[in-house]
């Protein structure tokens, strides 16, 4: 009986080793873009979904947004807060930008085909795209802040040097004039990744 048991253990170990090798090979075949596209086709085959371009266009800035931005610990923190707040309007299936803890600072965005008949995911590798997102938010912040400032001027005839200094200080904070665009984009990517990253909901190793 002992010899039979040892034989069964040996056979089991061989099967485990063979399965492990097979699973390892299979893991290497799984690609995150394919995973996202397959998941989207399964969950939302005929739905109208927001693309990354839609997301940028639909970011809304109001008086509260400006106030919270100016109170943020840093301007970049304020920008990240606006992005994350804007993403709350989407459910998990609709979110048009994703990143995963398995690959640091790599983002994936939803785009639409030229024929408008399908959506698919691509890696966001174009650094100017991050800058365009930041500039888009800055422009909306500036427009809203100008409205707030002009409203105050109309009601406050005692405008003084201090208020004018504060006005220009806030403009500089919105424009982030103390940093280069390259530095802003680099830190923006890091901060956005930390705020947005998720675990890949799959049992296999992911190939990026």
């Amino acid at each position: 009986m002992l010899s039979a048991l040892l034989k069964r253990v040996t056979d089991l170990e061989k099967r485990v080793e063979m399965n492990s090798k097979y699973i390892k090979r299979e893991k290497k075949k799984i690609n995150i873009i394919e995973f996202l596209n397959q998941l989207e086709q399964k969950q939302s085959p005929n739905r109208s979904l927001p693309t990354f371009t839609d997301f940028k266009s639909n970011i809304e800035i109001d008086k509260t947004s400006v106030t919270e931005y100016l109170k943020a610990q840093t301007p970049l923190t304020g920008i990240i807060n606006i992005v994350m707040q804007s993403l709350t309007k989407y459910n998990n299936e609709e979110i048009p930008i994703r990143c995963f803890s398995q690959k640091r600072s790599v983002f994936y965005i939803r785009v639409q085909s030229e024929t408008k008949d399908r959506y698919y995911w691509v890696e966001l590798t174009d650094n100017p795209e991050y800058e365009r997102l930041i500039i888009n938010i800055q422009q909306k912040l500036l427009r809203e802040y100008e409205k707030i400032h002009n409203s105050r001027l109309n009601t406050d005839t005692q405008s003084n040097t201090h208020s004018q200094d504060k006005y220009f200080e806030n403009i500089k904070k919105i424009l982030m004039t103390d940093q280069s665009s390259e530095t802003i984009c680099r830190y923006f990517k890091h901060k956005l990744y930390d705020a947005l990253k998720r675990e890949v909901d799959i049992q296999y190793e992911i190939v990026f």
Side-chain angles (χ1 to χ4, degrees):
M1 290 182 63
L2 181 60
S3 59
L5 180 60
L6 289 174
K7 184 177 184 304
R8 286 176 59 190
V9 170
T10 301
D11 290 343
L12 177 60
E13 289 175 346
K14 288 180 179 179
R15 290 200 301 273
V16 169
E17 183 179 0
M18 291 177 61
N19 287 338
S20 297
K21 290 179 180 179
Y22 174 77
I23 292 172
K24 186 175 181 180
R25 289 197 300 271
E26 287 301 300
K27 284 180 179 179
K28 292 181 180 179
K29 295 180 182 179
I30 298 173
N31 179 283
I32 189 62
I33 301 262
E34 293 176 1
F35 165 69
L36 286 171
N37 286 330
Q38 290 172 4
L39 188 65
E40 184 141 296
Q41 291 173 8
K42 183 185 300 183
Q43 294 178 336
S44 314
N46 300 307
R47 289 177 56 188
S48 177
L49 294 168
T51 63
F52 183 65
T53 300
D54 296 329
F55 165 68
K56 289 188 297 181
S57 300
N58 294 330
I59 291 176
E60 297 179 352
I61 300 294
D62 57 17
K63 184 176 180 179
T64 301
S65 306
V66 174
T67 301
E68 291 179 351
Y69 174 85
L70 294 175
K71 288 181 178 179
Q73 185 175 6
T74 67
L76 275 175
T77 299
I79 293 286
I80 296 298
N81 290 343
I82 288 171
V83 171
M84 296 304 294
Q85 180 62 35
S86 298
L87 287 171
T88 59
K89 69 177 70 173
Y90 305 114
N91 63 38
N92 187 56
E93 294 177 12
E94 294 172 336
I95 291 177
I97 178 170
R98 297 177 183 272
C99 58
F100 302 97
S101 58
Q102 284 84 349
K103 188 69 173 179
R104 182 161 185 81
S105 295
V106 175
F107 293 86
Y108 304 89
I109 58 172
R110 180 186 293 116
V111 297
Q112 192 172 28
S113 64
E114 293 183 1
T115 55
K116 308 291 185 183
D117 61 345
R118 69 185 181 92
Y119 299 98
Y120 59 97
W121 289 83
V122 297
E123 183 179 333
L124 183 56
T125 57
D126 184 14
N127 281 332
E129 192 65 47
Y130 297 102
E131 187 174 1
R132 283 190 283 269
L133 173 58
I134 295 168
I135 290 173
N136 175 54
I137 295 173
Q138 287 175 316
Q139 289 174 335
K140 293 181 178 183
L141 282 167
L142 277 175
R143 283 196 294 268
E144 187 62 29
Y145 182 64
E146 285 290 344
K147 285 168 56 178
I148 296 169
H149 178 68
N150 291 336
S151 175
R152 287 174 180 168
L153 287 179
N154 292 333
T155 58
D156 183 9
T157 57
Q158 302 297 321
S159 179
N160 53 38
T161 303
H162 174 73
S163 63
Q164 284 299 104
D165 289 346
K166 190 65 176 177
Y167 167 75
F168 288 113
E169 179 185 329
N170 288 336
I171 291 293
K172 289 180 180 180
K173 187 170 184 178
I174 291 172
L175 295 177
M176 291 186 272
T177 55
D178 60 337
Q179 299 182 68
S180 68
S181 59
E182 292 81 5
T183 300
I184 291 170
C185 286
R186 183 170 66 252
Y187 282 104
F188 172 76
K189 285 177 65 177
H190 292 330
K191 285 182 174 291
L192 181 60
Y193 173 81
D194 288 338
L196 190 60
K197 67 181 176 181
R198 296 289 184 271
E199 293 287 333
V200 177
D201 186 18
I202 192 169
Q203 296 179 351
Y204 303 101
E205 178 183 342
I206 297 299
V207 177
F208 293 89

